[in-house]
Amino acid sequence: MVDLWNVWYSELHQGRAGLTLKVKQVIYSGQSPFQRIDILETYEFGRMLVLYGSIMITEKDEFVYHEMISHVPLFTHPNPRRVLVIGGGDGGTVREVLKHPEVEQVTLVEIDQMVVEKCKEYFPQVACELDNPKTRILFQDGAQFMAETDEKFDVILVDASDPIGPAEVLFQKNFHQNIYNRLNEDGIMVTQSESPWYHQRTLRRMYENLRSIFPLVRIYWAYVPTYPSSIWSFTLCSKKYHPIKDFKADQYRELGISTNYYNAGIHQACFVLPNFIKKAILNRV
């Protein structure tokens, strides 16, 4: 039988390259007060969340991003009791954070309530811990929250979407300085920092800004098939702990958490950077 459904989704990067996926079904399409939200069923990657035309997560590969933004800092900090997640309304980062029993509370600050509602409805396996008693959800602007709160956190994770629209401010130096101020004396921050292929200028600027604020800044990376170039970067900033020297390998083995990408070897290997990143971002080899 001939397949007559010929609908494709394409995300272009800088208008010159991109990813194209065949769409099985359009599940939801709507407009929140902040952005357009689309949920598509694809043949290759299952359900896919698209915000303002950019792929945020797919069922098939979302675990890579969420595991790497969460477990790297949480297996570095010796006692991450209070964790803050900025953005991440799909709930995947919260899900991974709560695999750590020492976490007493995770606060999710998400500007768009509709993202949370739709992810609970259509991505229950990702949003499964958003109703956990340890989870506190605040629907407000992340930058405003950081500027106004007097709370302190052990780990802050900036699970921001791309630096356009409502997430643009989450890539600015003032926001990162506010994060530093709201971290405890031994706190750790991790932010997603875009593709080292397509977004070198953004990554370089972020790295320089963060180096002027934090005493220790390290870039690491992971392979995410549906993200631009499939190589995605994260930047870890710490007031005290080193992600390799202070890696809690024994606790990782004892805890035995279920992951599909992250493991002890990945924790250490992800900080080994290809030369092109060192040249482009760090200005060294």
Side-chain angles (χ1 to χ4, degrees), residues 11-206:
E11 179 181 331
L12 299 181
H13 315 312
Q14 300 178 339
R16 299 190 295 268
L19 174 68
T20 298
L21 298 172
K22 189 172 183 180
V23 176
K24 189 175 184 179
Q25 181 182 4
V26 178
I27 297 175
Y28 172 83
S29 184
Q31 181 76 36
S32 80
F34 302 97
Q35 59 202 331
R36 176 171 171 170
I37 301 173
D38 295 289
I39 299 173
L40 312 175
E41 180 82 27
T42 70
Y43 283 91
E44 186 63 29
F45 287 91
R47 288 186 177 182
M48 178 171 70
L49 173 67
V50 180
L51 300 181
Y52 52 82
S54 296
I55 299 172
M56 295 294 108
I57 63 169
T58 75
E59 287 182 312
K60 189 172 183 178
D61 69 355
E62 56 83 13
F63 62 84
V64 182
Y65 175 90
H66 293 134
E67 290 178 11
M68 291 301 286
I69 198 172
S70 305
H71 299 308
V72 172
L74 290 173
F75 278 118
T76 300
H77 195 287
N79 190 25
R81 294 177 298 106
R82 302 189 75 244
V83 178
L84 171 66
V85 179
I86 302 289
D90 55 74
T93 299
V94 170
R95 180 194 65 199
E96 297 303 315
V97 167
L98 288 177
K99 291 180 180 179
H100 294 254
E102 67 270 35
V103 173
E104 298 173 0
Q105 183 185 68
V106 54
T107 298
L108 173 67
V109 178
E110 165 62 52
I111 195 171
D112 197 338
Q113 185 171 354
M114 188 179 291
V115 171
V116 172
E117 293 171 350
K118 294 306 174 184
C119 286
K120 283 184 177 181
E121 182 177 357
Y122 295 111
F123 297 91
Q125 77 284 7
V126 181
C128 56
E129 296 293 347
L130 291 180
D131 293 323
N132 189 302
K134 289 185 176 182
T135 303
R136 176 180 63 151
I137 302 178
L138 304 176
F139 293 111
Q140 63 182 98
D141 179 83
Q144 181 180 0
F145 174 82
M146 292 309 306
E148 297 176 354
T149 186
D150 58 359
E151 296 184 58
K152 289 278 193 173
F153 300 92
D154 300 303
V155 174
I156 297 177
L157 307 176
V158 184
D159 186 357
S161 49
D162 296 332
I164 57 176
E168 183 176 6
V169 68
L170 304 185
F171 290 77
Q172 305 302 319
K173 186 174 182 179
N174 287 343
F175 174 68
H176 295 142
Q177 181 64 60
N178 288 333
I179 287 180
Y180 180 93
N181 296 339
R182 302 327 308 164
L183 282 169
N184 287 322
E185 293 181 358
D186 61 350
I188 295 175
M189 182 268 275
V190 168
T191 179
Q192 75 89 356
S193 44
E194 301 288 291
S195 165
W197 281 110
Y198 292 118
H199 310 128
Q200 289 186 2
R201 181 178 299 177
T202 297
L203 179 53
R204 184 187 304 114
R205 186 179 299 116
M206 284 186 64

